[in-house]
Amino acid sequence: LRCGMRTTKCQLLVTSLCVMLLGLSIATLSTVTHYGLHFTLISNISLDSNAYRVIHHTAFYFGICLSMTLILAALLSSAATVRESQCLTAMGFFCFALAFCGLIPAACWRYTHSTEVEDSMMDVYDFVYEEVRRNTSSFRRHELTAIHEAFLCCGKHSPFGDTTSVENKTCPPGQVHDEGQDCLREIQDFLKKHMDFVFSLLGVSIGFTVYGMILTSFLWFSIHFSSNLYRKGKYILR
């Protein structure tokens, strides 16, 4: 029993370290997503009727809460391993379970709403582009120019293959419209790479969270039965 407990403690320490790194990675990714140039630019331009701004803020706060839960689970599990405390072990298991309950809906949402964020971002670009094309507003033209510079793209492809005055006035220097730098495609490719990385990070976090739950539960039972074995054979004379 003591040999199995030592093995479990070593595995739990390594798992806690990995979970802490995953928590820090999720916090970093959430911060970059919230304050990154590409995402903040679209969020500031989007209208209240567009769903992107809500998704943008919700993803940030959810990611920060999830990362704090993972870090807390790692700290409690490490402390429980060193002190062999049943209370700390139970608290660590609870934090792992809480993180698991947050990771599963996040992964399911990413799978079932894979195009919702993408569509909302492209809707923002379409709105700004059409506003500039209709009335050439200086304010909207500045926003469109900022999008072109951030995504290194140039307007939208026309079915007739011509370059309109909108592209001539808002595209960054050196960007040629006929080379395939369609902004809708660039936004789609950029977001696909980002979401694939997010999904991979969620998958790894789910695996380590489940493994942490198994180890903490096994450690709790090991501590419990070990303490019962220490009590056997001890008698008190009255």
Side-chain angles (χ1 to χ4, degrees):
L1 181 62
R2 298 299 298 178
C3 181
M5 183 185 294
R6 284 195 295 268
T7 304
T8 303
K9 289 170 67 176
C10 293
Q11 292 176 348
L12 188 56
L13 284 175
V14 175
T15 303
S16 299
L17 178 60
C18 295
V19 170
M20 184 175 293
L21 293 177
L22 285 171
L24 294 175
S25 300
I26 292 176
T28 304
L29 181 62
S30 301
T31 304
V32 170
T33 302
H34 187 71
Y35 295 104
L37 175 62
H38 300 81
F39 299 101
T40 54
L41 184 62
I42 298 296
S43 178
N44 294 332
I45 297 174
S46 63
L47 300 177
D48 294 336
S49 58
N50 191 287
Y52 177 77
R53 186 174 297 179
V54 177
I55 298 173
H56 182 74
H57 289 88
T58 303
F60 171 71
Y61 293 116
F62 178 82
I64 294 298
C65 292
L66 182 60
S67 64
M68 293 175 62
T69 305
L70 288 173
I71 293 173
L72 182 59
L75 293 175
L76 289 173
S77 300
S78 300
T81 303
V82 174
R83 296 189 177 185
E84 295 188 5
S85 171
Q86 286 184 275
C87 180
L88 292 176
T89 305
M91 293 173 63
F93 177 84
F94 175 77
C95 289
F96 276 122
L98 188 63
F100 179 78
C101 293
L103 287 166
I104 292 298
C108 292
W109 187 90
R110 166 66 182 89
Y111 182 77
T112 57
H113 298 77
S114 58
T115 61
E116 185 171 342
V117 182
E118 175 184 306
D119 293 340
S120 61
M121 289 185 72
M122 290 192 293
D123 288 342
V124 172
Y125 180 80
D126 281 331
F127 169 75
V128 177
Y129 184 90
E130 293 300 323
E131 284 289 314
V132 175
R133 188 178 65 83
R134 281 198 297 264
N135 52 32
T136 62
S137 170
S138 59
F139 179 72
R140 293 299 182 188
R141 186 164 62 245
H142 175 73
E143 293 178 341
L144 187 62
T145 303
I147 294 176
H148 288 165
E149 292 176 352
F151 288 93
L152 297 178
C153 57
C154 185
K156 299 190 297 184
H157 281 305
S158 171
F160 303 103
D162 58 339
T163 302
T164 65
S165 60
V166 176
E167 282 81 358
N168 293 330
K169 294 179 181 179
T170 59
C171 288
Q175 290 291 331
V176 181
H177 183 60
D178 293 333
E179 289 184 353
Q181 300 296 328
D182 183 9
C183 273
L184 295 180
R185 181 175 296 176
E186 290 296 319
I187 292 173
Q188 186 178 19
D189 293 342
F190 169 80
L191 194 60
K192 184 179 183 301
K193 294 177 182 178
H194 184 80
M195 296 301 288
D196 288 343
F197 180 76
V198 171
F199 189 72
S200 300
L201 188 60
L202 289 176
V204 175
S205 300
I206 290 173
F208 275 99
T209 301
V210 173
Y211 192 52
M213 292 169 61
I214 295 173
L215 290 177
T216 49
S217 60
F218 185 81
L219 181 62
W220 188 92
F221 283 108
S222 298
I223 295 172
H224 177 73
F225 289 116
S226 177
S227 61
N228 287 340
L229 287 176
Y230 284 148
R231 295 192 190 100
K232 288 186 177 181
K234 294 182 178 180
Y235 303 96
I236 299 176
L237 296 177
R238 294 184 179 178

